[in-house]
Structures are given as C-alpha cells and as structure tokens.
Amino acid sequence: MKKFLSVILLLVFMMSIFTACSDAAKDDSVQDSEINITVDSHYENIDESSVRAYEKLCTAVVNGDSEVKFNTSLLDDVNQLFYTCFPLYPLVESIDLMGDSTGVTITYKNTAEEHLELVNAFYDKVDEIMQACEYGKVSTDRYIFNVYTYITSNMQSDSSVVTAYDAIMQGKGYSAAVCSAFEYLVLQGGGKASHVISAADGQKIMSAAEFKDGWYYFDPAADIENNGGKALTGFAMGSDRGGLGSFNYTDGEPVDIQGGESFEKLAYSVSYTVDGDTVNVTCSDGQGEMELSFE
C-alpha cells in the first residue's frame, strides 16, 4: 500500500513539473508574440479615447476579426492613426461603419487563413530586423543608427512598392515606403519618429526622429538611391542641409526641427566604418573625417 501511494505521489509530482513547464512555455510564447501598436510621435498627445479605439481596430486586424466595437464619433482620428501609423493596413480591403454606428466591419484582401499567415510572417520579419539591429542590447540612439544602416544596406529602391508593409517584407520600396519602414522600426524599438511631407509640393517625403540632442530629418531612401548605403548623407539632417525647405506632418501641421547642425558634416560623407561604439565617417570636399560616438 505504501509502495502504491509512493508511485501515485511520484506521478503527481512529475505531472506538476510537466504542467509548470507547459505553462512557462505558453507564457514565453505569449511574451515572444507580443505586438506593440505604435503611434507616430506627432500624434502621441492625441485624445486617449482615440488612441484606445485605434488600438482596438489594429488588434482586430492582427487577429483577423470581421468587426470591432468602439465609439465611431472618433472615426476621423482613428482613420488618421490607422493609415499613418499601422503598417498592416494594406491587408485590409475596406472598413465600413456598422448600421447601428456602434463600430465597424472589416473586410480583408485574403482568406482568413492567408491573412493570419501574412500577419505572422510580418511580425517575424520585424523581429528578425530588430534583433539584427541589436534591439535591447544597445542605446536607443545606437538602435536608430543600426536601423538606418540596416535599411540602407539591405533595401533597394523600387517605385512599385509603396507601403511600409511591403518594403519590410520585400526589402525594397518607394522612398516614402522606405521612410515609413524606418519610422515603424524606430517606434517599435522605443524611439520617437514621425512621417513628414514637403510643405512646398508634397512630393518629398522623409522621416523625423529624435536622436541624441534633438529632432532631425532622416532620409534612408536617399542614401539607397545615391550611394547604395555606403554613406550617411541623409542621416540626422538639420533643416538647412541641402536646402530641404519646410515640412508638414501628415495632418498638415508644420514641422519644427530643432536639432541644430551637430551632424551637418555628414552631408559630405562618402563612406563609414563601425568600430564598436564608434562610427568613423570619411567625408569629401576637404571635410576630412567625422566621428559618431555611442559610448
């Protein structure tokens, strides 16, 4: 009898171990698949109710849900955030107001199974890029540099690819798509970034991001097109570099870049090398060398 009880107790003990391991695995899986719904930094002070509604819509798209309830009086703000900040919007065919105005219905471009496969593949790719950019191992400033140079080294210019989603998945894109991908990856890594558009004609689209001592313009697409990612001519630009002119955010408000001229010498960069926490930049036109330190 005692032997029988010992066997039972041993089995119970072993089952508890396997259950604990299983639960831990589930927790790790949930943690690894956690998705950050990011917001363009220009909109970070928008009404909290609008942000919550936007997050509900994004979560519904991630899950492939066909409808989501939220206060539809906020729909203008929600749409502004959705199409500015959320890279998975190209997977959506349409978003329509419910008949009773208690929410919206969502129609997708692909079947339910295909949609979820595309969503998972996208977040796997984002995670792959963030790991390559040493997210969690380096400072935010260094992470931003790593994202910029990852993009300029691994993406190509292609005017037929017009969204951040496709640029990330295909490794190529139109300048606006490349910049949107840069912003999204910076935001995912805890940095601050915004999409900006030329105030003059709306043709030139770039990124603005907080880096070191202030806000600067970033144009990874320019370095891809002009030098194949070998230089940093579009990195941390002040408002005077190359006669950029004035820019607006996607809601039409003017951009006020206040980063100064700390990195203006990069306009003459022709190449760079990375040595630990130091980036050594070679410049043309008698500008000599420049050093970026991330210590």
Side-chain angles (χ1 to χ4, degrees):
M1 182 65 178
K2 288 182 178 179
K3 185 177 180 180
F4 177 75
L5 288 174
S6 297
V7 172
I8 294 297
L9 289 172
L10 179 60
L11 289 173
V12 171
F13 176 70
M14 292 301 293
M15 288 178 65
S16 67
I17 291 176
F18 286 124
T19 301
C21 291
S22 176
D23 288 344
K26 288 178 182 178
D27 289 344
D28 287 344
S29 176
V30 170
Q31 185 176 6
D32 290 344
S33 63
E34 183 178 350
I35 296 164
N36 294 317
I37 306 299
T38 56
V39 176
D40 181 304
S41 296
H42 174 62
Y43 298 98
E44 61 185 10
N45 294 320
I46 200 169
D47 183 81
E48 187 176 341
S49 298
S50 296
V51 174
R52 286 200 300 269
Y54 157 72
E55 290 173 343
K56 283 185 177 181
L57 177 58
C58 294
T59 300
V61 171
V62 168
N63 294 332
D65 296 334
S66 60
E67 63 178 41
V68 58
K69 299 290 187 73
F70 60 82
N71 182 355
T72 54
S73 67
L74 305 170
L75 196 54
D76 285 346
D77 282 348
V78 171
N79 281 334
Q80 179 74 64
L81 293 174
F82 187 75
Y83 291 105
T84 297
C85 313
F86 190 57
L88 292 179
Y89 79 80
L91 301 181
V92 175
E93 182 68 40
S94 64
I95 297 174
D96 300 298
L97 193 65
M98 290 181 181
D100 58 4
S101 298
T102 60
V104 298
T105 58
I106 309 169
T107 304
Y108 299 98
K109 294 180 179 179
N110 301 284
T111 66
E113 183 178 357
E114 290 170 339
H115 175 80
L116 293 179
E117 288 177 354
L118 291 170
V119 170
N120 288 328
F122 175 77
Y123 284 113
D124 285 346
K125 185 62 178 180
V126 169
D127 182 66
E128 175 190 319
I129 295 172
M130 291 178 68
Q131 296 307 312
C133 296
E134 299 184 281
Y135 169 67
K137 299 177 181 179
V138 295
S139 68
T140 301
D141 288 331
R142 178 57 186 269
Y143 173 74
I144 290 172
F145 174 82
N146 290 351
V147 168
Y148 186 92
T149 54
Y150 176 93
I151 287 176
T152 58
S153 299
N154 291 281
M155 286 191 179
Q156 298 177 339
S157 177
D158 188 329
S159 60
S160 69
V161 178
V162 297
T163 69
Y165 168 82
D166 289 309
I168 287 173
M169 294 304 295
Q170 298 181 36
K172 59 183 179 180
Y174 174 60
S175 59
V178 171
C179 287
S180 291
F182 169 74
E183 295 148 24
Y184 179 72
L185 291 165
V186 168
L187 290 166
Q188 280 291 319
K192 292 189 175 183
S194 294
H195 205 57
V196 298
I197 304 169
S198 170
D201 55 15
Q203 297 299 307
K204 181 67 175 177
I205 298 175
M206 294 194 303
S207 304
E210 188 175 42
F211 179 75
K212 285 194 176 279
D213 61 346
W215 280 79
Y216 296 89
Y217 292 115
F218 290 80
D219 192 356
D223 276 319
I224 292 172
E225 294 170 5
N226 299 332
N227 55 68
K230 296 178 180 178
L232 299 167
T233 60
F235 187 85
M237 298 182 289
S239 56
D240 294 331
R241 188 186 302 181
L244 289 176
S246 58
F247 281 77
N248 294 332
Y249 296 107
T250 56
D251 62 357
E253 289 191 18
V255 178
D256 183 16
I257 290 295
Q258 298 178 346
E261 301 179 355
S262 303
F263 308 103
E264 288 308 284
K265 199 171 180 178
L266 291 176
Y268 302 95
S269 65
V270 292
S271 65
Y272 68 91
T273 58
V274 179
D275 182 12
D277 293 325
T278 302
V279 179
N280 299 300
V281 184
T282 300
C283 301
S284 63
D285 295 342
Q287 295 294 319
E289 305 285 327
M290 180 181 176
E291 182 181 286
L292 293 177
S293 177
F294 295 98
E295 294 180 350

